[in-house]
Amino acid sequence: MANILVTNISEMLTLAPANEKEGRRITEKDLGIKTNQAMYIVSGRIEWLGAQKEIPKILARNKKIKEVSMKGQTLLPGFVECHTHLVFAGHRAEEFELRNQGVSYQEISKRGGGILSTLQKTRAISERVLFAMSQKRVDDFVSQGVTTLEIKSGYSLDLKNEIKMLGVINKLRGPRVVATFLGAHAKPPEFASHGEYLKYLSDRVLPKIKKLNLASRVDIFVEKGFFEPEESRRYLAAAKDLGFDLVVHADQLTLSGGAKLCIELGARSGDHLLQIRGLEINMLARSNVTCVLLPAADLYMKCAYPPARKLIDAGARVALATDFNPGTCPTQDVALVGLLARLEMKMTLPEVIAAYTVGASYALNLAKEVGSLEVGKYADFLCTNSSWQETFYSVGGRLPTSVYRNGQLQKS
Ligand code: NIG
Ligand code: FE
C-alpha cells in the first residue's frame, strides 16, 4: 500500500471535537471545520493532518509518496451505517400494499408473512446468488459515502442457513463490514415456543458462531409477539458471557422493555426507541448505550418518530441508520434518513452529520478507528464538490464525487 499525500482540500470536517465529546450535545463547533488542509496516509491510517502550507518538507520532497489532489473539494469522514438487514432474498411489496390498506405489521406476521416470508426465500437461495445480490446493495451504500457498514443475519433462523448468511456477510467487499448475529429475529416454524428457540440458539448456535468467528455482535427483536424481556435477558446474558457485544431492537412497536434491558446489560446500542418515555430517555442519556434512530423505517411504518430532541437535550449519544430490509424499510437511501431527522425529528445538521459518523462509530464499538478524521484513525472519507451545508438537503441526495477507505479509492 503506497503512502499517500492528499492535498488541496478546501474544506474538511474532521469531527474530532465531536469524537472528543463522545458524540453528545453536538453543535457546529464540534464538526471541526478546517480550510485548506492536507493529509498524509501511511498503511491506510492518517499519519499527519494539517494546513496545506504546513506540509512537512520531508513529505513534499519524497518522490515515493503518491500525491492525490482534491482540487478544492470538501472532505467528510466516511459515513458509518450501523443498522442494516442487507442480506435477504425476494421482496415484500405485497405486504407493503397490505399495510397501506390498514393491516398491521404484527397481523401480517401472525398470518405467516413478514420476517417468515423472507426466511423461506433466503433459506432456499444459493450462497452464490445471495452474495451477488448483496454485493450490489453494498456497492450502492459505498456510492453514497458509506465506508463502514453493519449487516445483520436473521432471515434464516437455523444453524446451517444463518451460517450461510454470515458467510455471505463476511465475504462482502468495499466498506469495513461489521457482522451481527440476529438469530433472535423471530421464532422459526420448527419451534413450539420462543423460549425453546432461544435455548437452542444459546446452546447450539452462539458457541458455533463464536468458534467460527462469524460475528462479533448479537442482536434480538424484543417486542410483543416476538421475544419477551425475561427470556431476552437470559439470552443476551449468555451471549455476553461468550464475549459478544450486545444490540437490541428496542421499543419499536410497543414499549416492551428493550431500552431498559440495553442499559441493564450494557448493550452497545438500543435501536428504534420510538415508544420510550421520560424514564427511559433519562436512563439512556446517563448510560453508555448509543441510541440508534431509524426514521426511514418509521416513515414506511407510518409510526411516530422517536424523541430525538429529548434524547439529545438530555445528553444521550444518538446515531442514525437506514434499517434497510425488505419489510419495514425497503430503501437504502442515507440522504433520506438524514433529511427525515432534520425535518421530522428536529435534529440540526451538525447533529445529523455527527450521528452518521461519530455516533454510529460508538454504536459499532469502532470509535477509536473510524467516525472522525484524526491522526491514528483509518483514512475513510468522502469527497464532494458541494459545501457541507448541502449534505442531507435534497431528496435522494447528491452523491459524493469519490469515496476512500483506508486511503484507497472505492468509488469515483
Ligand atoms: O428493524 N423490527 C425487526 N426487524 C426489522 C424488520 C425486519 C423485517 O420486517 O423483515 C426492523 O424493522
Ligand atoms: Fe432492524
Side-chain angles (χ1 to χ4, degrees):
M1 218 186 253
N3 297 350
I4 302 157
L5 183 63
V6 183
T7 57
N8 301 311
I9 306 164
S10 77
E11 187 179 52
M12 175 157 72
L13 274 59
T14 66
L15 272 292
N19 189 46
E20 178 83 8
K21 290 167 81 176
E22 300 187 348
R24 299 176 197 266
R25 300 188 197 279
I26 300 301
T27 66
E28 189 173 321
K29 276 213 302 285
D30 301 316
L31 297 178
I33 303 173
K34 302 242 163 89
T35 52
N36 302 318
Q37 295 288 294
M39 171 165 48
Y40 181 51
I41 302 164
V42 175
S43 303
R45 293 198 188 244
I46 302 171
E47 177 90 6
W48 176 88
L49 203 64
Q52 167 94 17
K53 60 178 190 317
E54 282 163 18
I55 296 175
K57 297 238 169 2
I58 190 167
L59 298 182
R61 285 198 210 113
N62 188 336
K63 291 276 178 294
K64 285 201 194 115
I65 297 172
K66 182 174 152 204
E67 187 185 329
V68 180
S69 171
M70 286 295 139
K71 299 182 181 143
Q73 294 186 94
T74 297
L75 257 62
L76 272 79
F79 293 136
V80 178
E81 167 63 46
C82 67
H83 183 138
T84 80
H85 308 251
L86 172 151
V87 175
F88 60 84
H91 62 79
R92 305 230 295 271
E94 301 83 1
E95 175 185 321
F96 177 57
E97 175 67 5
L98 279 178
R99 279 210 317 275
N100 280 327
Q101 304 307 323
V103 187
S104 74
Y105 181 84
Q106 290 96 322
E107 178 56 35
I108 292 168
S109 179
K110 260 192 224 144
R111 294 180 194 171
I115 293 169
L116 294 186
S117 82
T118 301
L119 174 142
Q120 279 153 9
K121 295 175 195 140
T122 309
R123 276 185 185 175
I125 203 170
S126 77
E127 187 166 343
R128 192 180 52 81
V129 178
L130 193 59
F131 172 79
M133 56 211 280
S134 303
Q135 184 63 55
K136 278 201 191 121
R137 296 169 187 153
V138 169
D139 295 346
D140 183 305
F141 271 124
V142 171
S143 76
Q144 299 179 68
V146 171
T147 48
T148 299
L149 176 61
E150 186 265 7
I151 308 174
K152 300 170 197 300
S153 70
Y155 285 126
S156 293
L157 313 184
D158 64 18
L159 181 64
K160 177 169 143 248
N161 289 295
E162 282 290 309
I163 286 180
K164 176 177 90 181
M165 283 192 81
L166 289 168
V168 166
I169 294 171
N170 284 297
K171 280 195 206 92
L172 293 165
R173 289 294 166 255
R176 206 175 298 290
V177 171
V178 176
T180 303
F181 176 62
L182 178 55
H185 201 185
K187 180 184 75 61
E190 295 81 12
F191 285 83
S193 75
H194 287 79
E196 265 176 50
Y197 176 55
L198 285 182
K199 189 163 173 356
Y200 160 76
L201 287 183
S202 36
D203 290 352
R204 298 269 322 275
V205 186
L206 287 182
K208 188 91 187 165
I209 286 166
K210 187 74 201 170
K211 195 161 159 229
L212 297 173
N213 196 21
L214 288 171
S216 55
R217 302 149 40 91
V218 165
D219 195 348
I220 183 166
F221 187 19
V222 178
E223 186 58 65
K224 292 213 169 67
F226 290 83
F227 299 96
E228 299 291 336
E230 271 312 310
E231 57 198 10
S232 303
R233 176 185 289 112
R234 278 194 296 278
Y235 174 67
L236 288 169
K240 194 174 178 176
D241 281 348
L242 284 169
F244 288 102
D245 272 353
L246 306 182
V247 196
V248 179
H249 274 73
D251 304 307
Q252 179 184 7
L253 308 171
T254 59
L255 184 61
S256 36
K260 283 187 180 160
L261 261 189
C262 285
I263 296 157
E264 185 188 319
L265 294 165
R268 292 285 170 201
S269 74
D271 300 32
H272 287 289
L273 304 173
L274 270 66
Q275 311 291 342
I276 57 171
R277 303 285 183 271
L279 175 70
E280 291 83 13
I281 292 172
N282 287 324
M283 285 168 78
L284 284 165
R286 284 198 305 271
S287 78
N288 208 23
V289 177
T290 301
C291 303
V292 176
L293 310 182
L294 308 158
D298 307 331
L299 174 75
Y300 272 102
M301 294 291 279
K302 300 195 216 183
C303 291
Y305 292 90
R309 200 59 271 145
K310 287 187 178 151
L311 280 166
I312 291 170
D313 292 342
R317 176 173 50 244
V318 159
L320 289 163
T322 57
D323 194 18
F324 175 44
N325 74 76
T328 63
C329 188
T331 178
Q332 41 185 135
D333 196 320
V334 168
L336 174 67
V337 172
L339 199 58
L340 287 170
R342 299 180 76 185
L343 286 170
E344 302 290 345
M345 287 152 60
K346 300 189 173 60
M347 285 174 68
T348 66
L349 180 55
E351 285 167 348
V352 170
I353 294 174
Y356 238 118
T357 51
V358 170
S361 76
Y362 275 89
L364 298 182
N365 193 23
L366 285 175
K368 289 197 171 69
E369 311 282 13
V370 301
S372 56
L373 296 171
E374 295 181 73
V375 169
K377 284 197 167 184
Y378 286 113
D380 292 1
F381 55 89
L382 62 94
C383 317
T384 166
N385 279 318
S386 320
S387 69
W388 68 269
Q389 286 96 338
E390 289 170 87
T391 52
F392 303 112
Y393 174 49
S394 53
V395 175
R398 211 180 284 166
L399 295 179
T401 52
S402 48
V403 180
Y404 288 78
R405 179 194 155 200
N406 291 350
Q408 305 292 310
L409 184 65
Q410 300 292 308
K411 175 249 168 187
S412 65

